[in-house]
Amino acid sequence: MYRQALDGLRVLGDGAYLDGTFGRGGHARGVLELLQARGRLLVMDKDPEAIAVAEREFGGDPRVSIYRGSFADLAHWDETAAGLDGVLLDLGVSSPQLDVAERGFSFGKDGPLDMRMDPDSGQSAAQWLATASEKEIADVLWTYGEERQSRKIARTIVARRSEQPLLRTAQLADLIASVMPRGDNKIHPATRSFQAIRIFINRELADLEAGLDAALARLKPGGRLAVISFHSLEDRIVKQFIARHSKAPPANRRMPIELAFTPTLLAIGGAQKAFDEETASNPRARSAVLRVAEKLGDGAQGGAA
């Protein structure tokens, strides 16, 4: 959703913009092309490989600053203290991460069962699955993957690990497939479970909630927030965040005094989907949803994009 995201950010030539999920720099390059000499581009990513790309391609540009870390911590980065005219978050796992078997994100490519976006931090998926209780595993599969067979899969994982440790993505995918055969379903049986474990291992939803709060705190009045999500759990958090800061809460008949509400965000349009030409060349974009909001306050005038 390259063009839609850039349109949503409404890049100003002398503005300051943060790409909180650099990946391989597609959106960052687009922002940089629109910036003048006084403009600023701040890029963040958990993934050391993404940071290496950013430093190699943009490290010599005086307009660019680079930070390895989660966008949840963007407000703690001194470079953001002066305020931002736009924040872009492109959520989930990147295509390069999926394509490299050694990262352990894809059940389509056998590799170490890792799944960490930052391979130097926290537990790998294999380490967690080796020690988590059956209930903990089932809860993660249901909460983050909405997997209906979560209890059955968790029970099988615990039984299997007592015989042989689960160390490879193919092992886990085959185990899940043995519990719930594919049948006529075109979606691999392990899809929801892999998604759930990845989200849990990387604290993706907690980071998203923290990152949205941090972005709102650092945006200047008139600044834009653009978020691309790839599944309903992420999109629900983004949608509710924008609504909470743009719409007064429903009236409560039990409250004798109606509390004043001052909106701090303006929703710019509704949920946007990828254009047909993009989904034709990039099937992953079919599930992408973009939401854009503008920060209000200090006399800023919100307007439709």
Side-chain angles (χ1 to χ4, degrees):
M1 303 191 74
Y2 173 84
R3 177 49 52 195
Q4 290 147 289
L6 290 182
D7 289 347
L9 285 175
R10 195 180 56 184
V11 178
L12 306 173
D14 60 352
Y17 296 86
L18 183 139
D19 182 346
T21 48
F22 177 80
R24 291 303 179 266
H27 291 110
R29 291 184 192 90
V31 172
L32 202 55
E33 288 175 2
L34 298 171
L35 292 181
Q36 299 168 0
R38 294 177 59 190
R40 295 284 291 151
L41 173 63
L42 312 181
V43 300
M44 303 181 72
D45 206 294
K46 291 180 179 181
D47 190 336
E49 294 179 12
I51 292 300
V53 172
E55 290 175 341
R56 184 171 64 248
E57 297 196 15
F58 302 136
D61 193 320
R63 299 172 296 172
V64 179
S65 291
I66 301 167
Y67 180 90
R68 180 182 171 187
S70 169
F71 58 71
D73 299 323
L74 73 87
H76 300 300
W77 185 12
D78 291 344
E79 291 280 359
T80 69
L84 300 167
D85 295 289
V87 173
L88 172 66
L89 305 177
D90 186 0
L91 305 176
V93 64
S94 68
S95 294
Q97 289 169 331
L98 284 171
D99 292 339
V100 177
E102 287 72 23
R103 300 301 299 272
F105 288 105
S106 174
F107 48 78
K109 297 180 174 68
D110 184 35
L113 188 56
D114 195 314
M115 297 195 190
R116 289 174 294 177
M117 293 179 181
D118 180 353
D120 300 324
S121 177
Q123 282 187 312
S124 69
Q127 290 169 331
W128 178 69
L129 287 172
T131 58
S133 70
E134 181 179 321
K135 181 179 185 304
E136 287 173 327
I137 296 171
D139 286 347
V140 164
L141 299 186
W142 172 250
T143 302
Y144 300 122
E146 298 175 321
E147 174 53 69
R148 294 180 180 178
Q149 300 296 324
S150 58
R151 293 181 181 178
K152 189 174 182 180
I153 293 171
R155 186 163 57 250
T156 306
I157 287 173
V158 171
R160 184 72 58 84
R161 77 186 183 192
S162 65
E163 304 168 1
Q164 181 183 23
L166 291 168
L167 302 176
R168 309 285 297 182
T169 55
Q171 280 181 286
L172 181 59
D174 289 346
L175 179 152
I176 294 170
S178 72
V179 171
M180 41 185 299
R182 182 182 301 192
D184 296 330
N185 195 337
K186 295 181 180 179
I187 300 174
H188 192 284
T191 300
R192 291 180 180 272
S193 295
F194 267 65
Q195 170 190 290
I197 295 169
R198 188 204 81 215
I199 289 173
F200 172 78
I201 290 294
N202 293 287
R203 300 184 69 256
E204 292 179 41
L205 300 188
D207 274 9
L208 176 56
E209 291 174 343
L212 292 172
D213 286 335
L216 180 58
R218 282 295 191 246
L219 279 171
K220 301 174 184 177
R224 293 284 183 89
L225 170 67
V227 185
I228 302 171
S229 58
F230 286 86
H231 60 76
S232 59
L233 295 175
E234 294 171 335
D235 183 53
R236 188 179 305 136
I237 289 173
V238 178
K239 179 181 179 180
Q240 291 175 350
F241 177 83
I242 294 173
R244 186 164 66 251
H245 291 281
S246 61
K247 300 176 182 178
N252 188 338
R253 291 180 295 177
R254 297 181 181 181
M255 293 288 290
I257 300 175
E258 185 174 337
L259 299 177
F261 174 77
T262 302
T264 53
L265 282 177
L266 173 72
I268 304 298
Q272 300 181 49
K273 301 289 286 184
F275 296 133
D276 290 342
E277 53 266 33
E278 181 176 2
T279 58
S281 60
N282 178 18
R284 183 170 177 258
R286 292 172 186 163
S287 59
V289 177
L290 169 67
R291 294 187 187 272
V292 179
E294 180 177 306
K295 185 170 180 178
L296 303 174
D298 295 348
Q301 296 296 317

